[in-house]
Amino acid sequence: MPQRLPDDPRLRRLVSAQLSRRNVLMGTGALTLGGLLAACGTGGTGTPAEGGSPTAAVDQSDTDKVVNWANWTLYLDYDDKAQKYPSLEAFSTSSGIEANYSEDIDGNDTYFGKVQAQLAAGQDIGQDIITLTDWMAARLIRLGYTQELDLGNIPNSKNLLETLRNVDFDPGRKHSLTWQSGFAGIAWNKQAVPGGLRTVSDLWKPELKGRVEVLDEMRDTMGLLMLDNGVDISGQWGTAEFDSALDVLSKQISDGQIRQVKGNSYKEDLISGDALAVIAWSGDITQLNFEEGDKWEFALPDAGGTLWSDNLMVPVGSPHKANAEALMDYYYDPKNAATVAAYVNYICPVEGAREAMEAIDPQLVENPLIFPTDDFLANAHVLRTLSAEEETDFSDRFQKAIGN
């Protein structure tokens, strides 16, 4: 059976002990939590660019007490009644810095396409913090589109998990800090699909035709498709394995099995019922269940799911770097990190947050979505590092296949 996650974050208890242990590297031994999260930071494409990089903006934080933050949807604690983000409000009250938060990121590629020209010119994109996945963070750092952080302004950065401190795309964490990590897997409407789903191939069942959606994140959708084909995505796969999975994707799109390929906005189609089964991100489904009445189930497929991390970075044109660093420091306090984790239900990157969770919601302390055990992580896989040439080639062909 797939490794299913309990639906209600307020009732969830330890489930990972009941799950069968699988080898992450297909028979070569299982990675520990530390090893997987360290590997999760290997989606980069090289070292920072030499020369030609835009010049960082002059910091105006001393006189302009504001910070603007672009993030994904369902990715920060939110009070529906007050229509505010409680932890962000508390940050502004304690720091005197006005925090403006926007859910502007629907996908890494789509967001990069919107801001690339401004970043290349060193212009202010209107955001002082952007939150992008490892491989896209690697691209921005390599191109010189981010500012170097002053970790002296972020003393709580010492709480970053040891295994995330020296990722290959940002050694020493000079340009980025992990926001959250999480899983991509499959999800379905429990009433419409009462038998559930076990594999990615189950998405192609005739009764689901036209009601399936997949992610526009190449590494997640293609990673799951390759895993379903028996490929070790952490190992030495290449063009042949990628093309085989791409053929599956292209066929399901052309046949009308796949309704749409989307970023975070797939959740609206789950709510409306237009989509009944999807390739999804774990925390999204947990949040939808909490807000919409426990209608969906998420699972890591039999062949495994993918594991990723998103990162906080300061764009090169931001005029509020010190303010951004103050906000990062605030969220690396274990109590504040646990507050966010209790809402978003993604893997928390902050040491001490598990202990802090005891006071916030003891039932979540052993939640495998937030604090996964090695047993649970044994069915999560990290796509291997792509060269710059591979990233361009594979991304272009993926985008063409999905009609972009």
Side-chain angles (χ1 to χ4, degrees):
M1 293 294 292
Q3 298 190 27
R4 299 182 179 182
L5 306 179
D7 301 301
D8 189 341
R10 304 303 171 190
L11 299 177
R12 184 179 293 110
R13 298 303 296 164
L14 180 63
V15 299
S16 56
Q18 301 172 357
L19 304 175
S20 60
R21 189 177 184 87
R22 294 172 181 266
N23 286 337
V24 172
L25 297 180
M26 299 185 68
T28 61
L31 288 177
T32 63
L33 168 60
L36 268 169
L37 289 181
C40 200
T42 60
T45 59
T47 56
E50 296 181 4
S53 299
T55 302
V58 175
D59 193 8
Q60 301 173 19
S61 295
D62 285 344
T63 56
D64 194 11
K65 295 298 183 181
V66 64
V67 60
N68 303 304
W69 180 9
N71 207 348
W72 305 71
T73 60
L74 302 177
Y75 224 18
L76 187 64
D77 54 299
Y78 185 69
D79 184 333
D80 289 311
K81 292 183 179 179
Q83 295 188 336
K84 294 181 178 180
Y85 300 92
S87 65
L88 202 61
E89 292 285 313
F91 164 75
S92 292
T93 299
S94 63
S95 68
I97 299 171
E98 177 187 352
N100 300 311
Y101 185 81
S102 58
E103 297 180 339
D104 283 353
I105 303 176
D106 187 60
N108 286 290
D109 279 312
T110 53
Y111 189 77
F112 182 69
K114 293 177 183 178
V115 300
Q116 179 180 11
Q118 291 173 280
L119 290 171
Q123 296 173 354
D124 181 7
I125 64 171
Q127 303 293 347
D128 305 301
I129 298 178
I130 53 178
T131 317
L132 298 172
T133 309
D134 282 339
W135 65 272
M136 183 58 78
R139 181 187 295 180
L140 266 64
I141 293 169
R142 174 169 53 86
L143 292 171
Y145 292 171
T146 62
Q147 298 190 42
E148 183 169 340
L149 301 175
D150 181 353
L151 296 181
N153 289 335
I154 317 174
N156 282 326
S157 63
K158 69 180 185 299
N159 296 326
L160 177 63
L161 291 174
E162 178 68 32
T163 51
L164 290 172
R165 294 180 187 175
N166 283 292
V167 292
D168 68 349
F169 64 85
D170 188 17
R173 286 292 186 178
K174 296 180 179 179
H175 292 261
S176 67
L177 286 173
T178 305
W179 173 238
Q180 308 287 319
S181 301
F183 306 101
I186 51 178
W188 59 92
N189 183 302
K190 292 189 290 186
Q191 182 177 358
V193 191
L197 305 176
R198 295 172 55 98
T199 69
V200 172
S201 294
D202 286 343
L203 295 171
W204 319 142
K205 291 181 176 182
E207 59 267 30
L208 294 175
K209 185 171 183 178
R211 311 291 290 278
V212 174
E213 294 188 358
V214 301
L215 295 169
D216 64 4
E217 286 294 318
M218 179 191 74
R219 283 160 174 78
D220 288 327
T221 291
M222 294 303 293
L224 287 169
L225 286 167
M226 285 193 286
L227 284 166
D228 197 56
N229 283 347
V231 176
D232 171 12
I233 64 170
S234 302
Q236 296 305 309
W237 59 271
T239 302
E241 291 82 1
F242 185 88
D243 284 347
S244 180
L246 194 63
D247 287 344
V248 173
L249 177 65
S250 298
K251 182 179 187 304
Q252 300 305 328
I253 292 174
S254 63
D255 288 352
Q257 183 75 19
I258 293 175
R259 179 178 182 271
Q260 284 186 312
V261 182
K262 286 191 167 186
N264 250 153
S265 57
Y266 71 87
K267 68 184 188 302
E268 280 84 12
D269 295 330
L270 286 174
I271 294 171
S272 69
D274 289 334
L276 298 180
V278 297
I279 288 178
W281 290 307
S282 53
D284 284 352
I285 303 305
T286 301
Q287 274 303 306
L288 285 179
N289 276 330
F290 185 67
E291 295 174 358
E292 301 290 331
D294 191 21
K295 298 177 181 178
W296 300 274
E297 185 144 12
F298 176 88
L300 299 184
D302 284 349
T306 59
L307 179 68
W308 44 264
S309 290
D310 290 328
N311 303 271
L312 305 171
M313 297 177 293
V314 179
V316 65
S318 163
H320 306 116
K321 184 171 81 79
N323 294 342
E325 291 163 341
L327 187 143
M328 293 180 190
D329 187 64
Y330 173 83
Y331 280 109
Y332 263 76
D333 178 282
K335 181 179 178 180
N336 299 328
T339 297
V340 172
Y343 183 91
V344 303
N345 281 257
Y346 283 111
I347 301 172
C348 184
V350 177
E351 291 278 8
R354 179 169 183 154
E355 292 75 11
M357 187 68 80
E358 290 278 4
I360 295 171
D361 192 333
Q363 295 189 74
L364 297 183
V365 171
E366 294 180 341
N367 181 341
L369 285 174
I370 305 173
F371 308 110
T373 65
D374 290 348
D375 282 348
F376 192 84
L377 281 167
N379 204 34
H381 306 250
V382 179
L383 194 81
R384 70 163 176 84
T385 300
L386 302 181
S387 68
E389 293 76 16
E390 285 178 321
E391 181 187 334
T392 299
D393 180 36
F394 293 157
S395 180
D396 286 349
R397 288 194 283 145
F398 176 73
Q399 293 298 322
K400 182 178 179 181
I402 66 176
N404 289 347

